Amino acid sequence: MKAFYAEEQKRHDPKAFLSSGAPQPNPEKPERVERLLAGARSAGLTIERPKEHGLGPVAAVHTPEYLDFLEHIFARWQRIEGASAEVIPNIHPIARNGSYPASAVGQAGYHMADTACPISAETWNSALWSAWSAVEAAEAVMAGAPSAYALCRPPGHHAFADVAGGFCFINNSAVAAQVLRRNAARVAILDVDLHHGNGTQGIFYARPDVLTVSLHADPVRFYPFFWGHADERGKGAGLGYNFNLPLPRKSGDAAFLEALATAFRRIRAFAPEALVVALGLDAFEGDPFGGLSVTTPGFARIGEAIAGLGLPTVIVQEGGYLCDALGDNLTAFLTGFGGKRG
Ligand SMILES: [Zn+2]
């Protein structure tokens, strides 16, 4: 299986993060890349550098004012006297029925959902290369590869069309799905990250051509709180094309695989021509977020089960945080998937 990653993706190095109001070191560390690269190589993948793909594939799922914000906000922020070293919002519109703010502080609040996605000098470039890795993997599959892996970091599934959040800036899984849509009438996105893929859901919520399915820890007491509930089913033409499977906290392999079987029924009924797997590894029992209890062999079974769908598949890295087994969990998933599918 081909795999894509660019060195620039490692330069984004967020420092701050508020967890239950308390300042903590940001867990989306560059070191994640080393663990994931080692995990991919252990599964026999060779890592290739993606080409540059410009803004087109990114602008296909994000608004121009948001992309302009992401590219330029850091330089603007530096001109504010006494501002923090990283761009971090401190005021948000409670609803989007006011005016679009002109100021950097106002726009940070408008375009950033939370404090988990600080923007520094390298963020835009890292996020863009991360998205290009996803584009390259999607194009490899369109060119006939049965599957491809994009080591996307920073991750993407919490990013909406015009809002960053939860360590995410550009929605790499959505970008990959939209690229696949050039050749495929219907694309499904299956998100197995610990957290609900709220940004991905938001981007495709009113569309019937991209089915969004997410398995995740029940958001009733877990990030992202406002999204990920079972009654969110899409709207307008997209009604019935969004499917959430929230799981009780600490659910293990058996419950996860059972929910996956339910997800597969919905995906098969949709009859997609291609699949994007939003592969978070933070459902692991030893992940610092501690939300679910999937084991390392469990990831192999999840990979094998997804391969059983028999679809051209782009695997996009989402979450999964520093713990001893992070690389092993990726190896397990890719080996399980590849053993069945190649
Ligand atoms: Zn996650």
Side-chain angles (χ1 to χ4, degrees):
M1 190 191 303
K2 285 188 173 185
F4 298 97
Y5 164 76
E7 274 299 316
E8 286 85 348
Q9 294 174 229
K10 205 181 162 185
R11 293 185 190 156
H12 168 65
D13 187 6
K15 308 294 185 207
F17 173 53
L18 285 181
S19 181
S20 303
Q24 302 283 353
N26 194 299
E28 208 285 278
K29 296 185 192 312
E31 190 188 340
R32 293 180 62 239
V33 164
E34 300 307 327
R35 311 284 185 95
L36 294 167
L37 281 173
R41 291 192 177 111
S42 291
L45 277 61
T46 47
I47 315 295
E48 296 176 32
R49 180 180 170 82
K51 297 186 292 292
E52 295 187 27
H53 290 273
L55 281 181
V58 174
V61 296
H62 291 287
T63 65
E65 68 185 11
Y66 175 61
L67 295 177
D68 182 64
F69 164 82
L70 282 183
E71 184 172 1
H72 299 294
I73 188 61
F74 180 74
R76 294 169 59 204
W77 197 260
Q78 298 316 297
R79 296 196 286 268
I80 303 171
E81 197 177 338
S84 54
E86 301 175 302
V87 180
I88 300 173
N90 56 264
I91 180 166
H92 302 275
I94 54 166
R96 285 241 177 128
N97 53 8
S99 297
Y100 185 68
S103 83
V105 171
Q107 287 180 11
Y110 188 90
H111 288 299
M112 299 167 87
D114 52 50
T115 59
C117 45
I119 293 174
S120 61
E122 300 288 352
T123 302
W124 166 247
N125 202 36
S126 286
L128 200 53
W129 279 99
S130 186
W132 288 341
S133 288
V135 172
E136 198 86 12
E139 290 191 348
V141 167
M142 287 164 66
S147 57
Y149 170 67
L151 200 172
C152 290
R153 186 276 167 184
H157 73 150
H158 297 307
F160 287 77
D162 65 352
V163 180
F167 318 136
C168 301
F169 304 92
I170 296 173
N171 194 315
N172 308 304
S173 292
V175 167
Q178 191 63 39
V179 168
L180 290 168
R181 276 284 290 108
R182 293 176 197 159
N183 283 2
R186 289 176 307 283
V187 176
I189 302 176
L190 174 61
D191 189 320
V192 297
D193 189 279
L194 165 66
H195 304 94
H196 174 243
N198 56 332
T200 317
Q201 168 176 303
I203 287 170
F204 296 111
Y205 207 55
R207 286 174 50 174
D209 57 325
V210 178
L211 174 71
T212 45
V213 179
S214 183
L215 285 70
H216 46 265
D218 193 331
V220 67
R221 285 186 187 80
F222 208 67
Y223 189 91
F225 302 104
F226 313 109
W227 303 274
H229 304 274
D231 58 355
E232 296 157 24
R233 299 168 48 237
K235 69 176 181 189
L239 186 63
Y241 295 87
N242 185 78
F243 189 38
N244 287 329
L245 289 153
L247 294 159
R249 288 286 288 275
K250 300 293 180 189
S251 291
D253 295 348
F256 201 95
L257 286 159
E258 194 181 315
L260 203 55
T262 304
F264 291 167
R265 285 201 297 277
R266 190 64 62 94
I267 290 169
R268 286 199 180 95
F270 178 65
E273 293 164 28
L275 177 72
V276 174
V277 179
L279 177 63
L281 297 165
D282 42 5
F284 178 53
E285 58 182 352
D287 187 271
F289 279 97
L292 294 174
S293 301
V294 173
T295 66
T296 300
F299 282 110
R301 292 176 66 192
I302 291 167
E304 193 180 324
I306 294 172
L309 286 169
L311 290 164
T313 301
V314 179
I315 300 164
V316 175
Q317 186 66 49
E318 296 287 356
Y321 299 92
L322 291 181
C323 57
D324 288 344
L326 178 57
D328 293 340
N329 291 337
L330 179 59
T331 306
F333 178 90
L334 293 170
T335 304
F337 185 92
K340 186 108 180 171
R341 185 104 173 84

